[in-house]
């Protein structure tokens, strides 16, 4: 009999068993030789619990998905009820109440003119759907030479090859660049990049002018312009003025290209309105939703579009115009039901109003960080707040990425009971909306301590 160095699975801790078999997302697994994997046994509201009594405040909403808090009673009840009726069927040739009711509700609350809902099952696949649909729309109209997209520098749209193509975050994109489409990247309206002495308005106008120049040159070969309205999230919580989004809508109309709004992270109340596009007073041609759509309980995504797009695909089968894209779990009944319950919470409870008060509290508590010698910017849009750490506040010289200062903040958070998972040198707070003012105070205290430790040498 051989004696195995690995203890029987039943005796080993969850974290040990995990490291033997699970390969985690967005992770250099080697880090976990020194960084303990958190064994999460339960979640309730804003908190994640381990079985041994430890708990962590989920200050990043489980990768921004968990907008209403974990296990919201209304979503839990809806899912229990749904499980007793229908789990899943393919959505080709069949339909079900949650898929229809959710589409009706999405159309009701979306910016006016978005009247058709195409389901997929995660954010990246929603982007793939919208990119293909835009290309295919132009092709159906006889404009097959339109094969390119304009994306914004610093934007993030997911990591499948199409979505990654229109993403401009080096960490995720560079390795795979040889495999990707070649979009045209436009300068970002990111307010952090504004030249000193320039007003916000001048900055927006300059970036719109740059976009106009690109469209003048390329519109004939462009299907759509892709943007994360108001906040470029994975790119470092970089924020821009709603006037840019409004101006971009006008430019897309002038040059007759689609506007694709990726509201996967900013949708569902994150920026202060149900959808970020509302603050620009515009309707995009495609709006991609996921993350908060199901309240963060189940994977689901939706691409909303207008009647003109829908009509371009509607013809006798033989015309070959149909959009034949599919995913096995497109429009999963449980996920649709969770999303429907999520939207009902937004309809029946003063979620956005409450968020305004919480966002104001968060802003007030973060304000003292503005004077910190290693903080170049404290910015906030609704329930997204970000702190930009730099080596030198006067020159804005960043810390070298290899320093991994953000990781120190993360480690400190774990010790003190909060999940803060910085994006490089950007520490951010993006909590579930059930967070209390006291819990905000706790998170800000922990982040402030973590920052002090992170910049100490
Ligand atoms: C997370 C995200 C995506 C990708 O969604 P996944 O479900 O992770 O594939 C796309 N766009 C934005 C803006 C996101 O934040």
């Amino acid at each position: 009999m051989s004696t195995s160095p690995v203890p029987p699975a039943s005796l080993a801790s969850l974290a040990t068993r995990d490291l033997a078999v699970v390969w985690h997302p967005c992770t250099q697994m080697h880090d976990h030789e020194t960084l303990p994997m958190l064994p999460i046994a339960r979640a309730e509201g804003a908190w994640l619990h381990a079985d041994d009594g430890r708990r962590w405040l989920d200050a990043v909403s489980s990768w921004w998905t968990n907008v209403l808090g974990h296990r919201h009673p209304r979503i839990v009840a809806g899912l229990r009820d749904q499980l007793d009726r229908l789990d899943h069927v393919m959505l080709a040739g069949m339909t079900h109440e949650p898929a229809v009711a959710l589409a009706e509700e999405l159309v009701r609350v979306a910016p006016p003119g978005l009247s058709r809902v195409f389901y997929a099952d995660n954010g990246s696949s929603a982007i793939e759907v919208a990119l293909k649909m835009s290309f295919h729309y132009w092709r159906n109209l006889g404009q097959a030479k339109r094969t390119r997209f304009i994306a914004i520098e610093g934007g993030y749209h997911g990591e499948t090859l199409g979505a990654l193509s229109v993403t401009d975050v080096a960490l995720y994109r560079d390795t795979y660049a040889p495999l990707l489409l070649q979009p045209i990247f436009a300068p970002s309206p990111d307010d952090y990049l504004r030249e000193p002495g320039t007003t916000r308005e001048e900055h927006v106008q300059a970036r719109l002018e740059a976009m106009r120049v690109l469209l003048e040159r390329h519109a004939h070969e462009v299907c759509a312009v892709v943007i994360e309205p108001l906040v470029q999230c994975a790119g470092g919580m970089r924020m821009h003025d709603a006037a840019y989004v409004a101006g971009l809508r006008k430019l897309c109309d002038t040059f007759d290209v689609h506007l694709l709004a990726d509201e996967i992270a900013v949708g569902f109340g994150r920026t202060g309105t149900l959808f970020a596009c509302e603050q620009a007073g515009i309707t995009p041609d495609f709006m991609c939703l996921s993350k908060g759509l199901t309240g963060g309980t189940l994977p689901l995504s939706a691409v909303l579009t207008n009647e003109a797009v829908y009509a371009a695909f509607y013809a006798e089968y033989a015309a070959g115009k149909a959009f034949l894209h599919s995913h096995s779990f497109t429009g999963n009944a449980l996920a649709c039901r969770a999303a429907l319950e999520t939207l009902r919470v937004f309809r029946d409870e003063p979620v956005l109003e409450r968020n305004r008060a919480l966002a104001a509290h968060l802003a007030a508590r973060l304000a003292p960080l503005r004077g910190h010698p290693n903080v170049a910017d404290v910015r906030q849009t609704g329930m997204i707040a970000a702190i930009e750490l730099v080596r030198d506040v006067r020159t804005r010289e960043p810390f070298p990425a290899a320093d991994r200062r953000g990781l120190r903040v993360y480690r400190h958070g774990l010790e003190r009971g909060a999940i803060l998972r910085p994006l490089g040198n950007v520490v951010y707070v993006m909590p579930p909306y059930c967070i209390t003012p006291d819990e905000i105070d706790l998170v800000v205290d922990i982040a402030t301590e973590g920052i002090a430790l992170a910049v100490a040498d």
Side-chain angles (χ1 to χ4, degrees):
M1 244 176 62
S2 71
T3 48
S4 162
V6 182
S10 56
L11 293 181
S13 75
L14 186 64
T16 306
R17 282 164 52 212
D18 173 282
L19 291 180
V21 284
V22 182
W23 193 343
H24 288 258
C26 202
T27 297
Q28 170 47 267
M29 292 302 296
H30 184 274
D31 282 354
H32 286 282
E33 289 193 4
T34 56
L35 192 64
M37 198 65 76
L38 303 188
I40 306 300
R42 286 178 302 115
E44 196 75 49
W47 292 90
L48 307 176
H49 299 262
D51 265 340
D52 57 12
R54 285 179 300 162
R55 62 173 195 163
W56 299 271
L57 208 152
D58 189 1
V60 300
S61 298
S62 292
W63 263 343
W64 326 337
T65 60
N66 201 280
V67 289
L68 300 174
H70 292 272
R71 301 182 60 255
H72 189 285
R74 190 126 182 210
I75 300 174
V76 171
L79 281 175
R80 289 217 164 100
D81 175 68
Q82 189 58 42
L83 259 178
D84 286 336
R85 296 165 192 274
L86 173 69
D87 47 2
H88 176 71
V89 282
M90 62 184 184
L91 204 65
M94 295 177 211
T95 192
H96 51 73
E97 179 64 26
V100 176
L102 174 60
E104 288 169 347
E105 189 61 11
L106 284 172
V107 165
R108 192 182 72 78
V109 298
L114 294 171
S115 54
R116 297 282 169 177
V117 178
F118 191 96
Y119 290 116
D121 52 19
N122 64 74
S124 301
S125 62
I127 296 293
E128 301 291 336
V129 165
L131 296 176
K132 285 176 69 180
M133 220 179 237
S134 176
F135 162 79
H136 198 162
Y137 166 91
W138 295 112
R139 189 174 185 276
N140 281 352
L141 260 58
Q143 300 191 37
K145 292 214 174 90
R146 296 208 197 211
T147 57
R148 302 189 74 187
F149 297 91
I150 296 180
I152 313 282
E153 287 174 0
Y156 177 93
H157 302 285
E159 295 175 48
T160 53
L161 294 179
L164 190 58
S165 294
V166 288
T167 288
D168 179 42
V169 179
L171 184 65
Y172 309 125
R173 191 180 203 279
D174 284 2
T175 307
Y176 306 101
L179 303 180
L180 304 179
L181 303 173
Q182 298 300 317
I184 300 148
F185 284 107
S188 174
D190 175 2
D191 200 58
Y192 187 73
L193 302 176
R194 177 157 53 97
E195 295 293 332
T198 312
T199 65
R200 276 178 86 99
E201 200 185 351
E202 285 163 350
H203 180 64
V204 164
Q205 285 314 317
R207 296 308 160 105
L208 285 171
E209 178 56 22
M211 179 64 81
R212 196 185 62 73
V213 169
L214 288 179
L215 282 165
E216 241 162 27
R217 199 176 308 150
H218 294 287
H220 64 282
E221 54 169 343
V222 166
C223 303
V225 178
V226 187
I227 185 170
E228 288 172 89
L230 300 189
V231 187
Q232 295 182 306
C233 292
M237 300 298 167
R238 295 296 187 84
M239 300 175 184
H240 57 263
D241 206 289
Y244 180 82
V245 182
L248 183 59
R249 173 71 276 181
K250 286 209 188 88
L251 284 172
C252 288
D253 287 340
T254 304
F255 289 94
D256 199 23
V257 303
H258 287 142
L259 177 59
L260 193 171
D262 177 352
E263 294 233 10
I264 290 166
V266 294
F268 301 100
R270 204 35 100 174
T271 65
T273 43
L274 190 60
F275 299 112
C277 283
E278 291 171 35
Q279 293 181 45
I282 62 119
T283 301
D285 300 291
F286 300 95
M287 186 162 86
C288 294
L289 303 173
S290 188
K291 290 203 164 99
L293 174 60
T294 61
T297 53
L298 285 166
L300 181 70
S301 60
V303 179
L304 275 59
T305 190
N306 56 42
E307 285 305 298
V309 169
Y310 183 76
F313 292 80
Y314 197 84
E316 296 283 350
Y317 187 84
K321 291 190 169 180
F323 190 62
L324 298 179
H325 185 102
S326 65
H327 296 284
S328 310
F329 283 100
T330 294
N332 172 264
L334 290 165
C336 285
R337 182 65 184 269
L340 190 57
E341 298 300 340
T342 300
L343 282 174
R344 285 176 180 158
V345 173
F346 277 97
R347 185 194 61 192
D348 297 342
E349 295 174 20
V351 180
L352 298 177
E353 215 179 303
R354 205 170 154 263
N355 273 9
R356 272 192 280 280
L358 290 168
H361 183 81
L362 180 57
R365 291 292 277 104
L366 286 173
L369 277 169
R370 286 222 164 77
H372 191 289
N374 294 101
V375 171
D377 195 22
V378 179
R379 52 184 174 263
Q380 189 174 346
T381 302
M383 289 290 266
I384 309 174
I387 302 138
E388 184 102 22
L389 302 183
V390 290
R391 174 178 265 166
D392 183 336
V393 86
R394 281 154 308 161
T395 60
R396 290 190 163 186
E397 182 198 343
F399 284 114
D403 279 13
R404 304 185 78 188
R405 307 265 169 176
L407 190 61
R408 303 186 197 173
V409 179
Y410 178 66
R411 283 177 189 265
H412 178 72
L414 298 189
E415 280 167 27
R416 289 276 278 115
I419 309 291
L420 292 161
R421 203 171 190 277
L423 296 157
N425 292 319
V426 176
V427 179
Y428 71 92
V429 179
M430 197 160 164
Y433 311 156
C434 63
I435 195 167
T436 65
D438 285 350
E439 288 165 345
I440 287 177
D441 294 350
L442 176 68
V443 170
V444 172
D445 286 348
I446 295 173
T448 305
E449 294 159 14
I451 288 167
L453 291 171
V455 303
D457 55 279

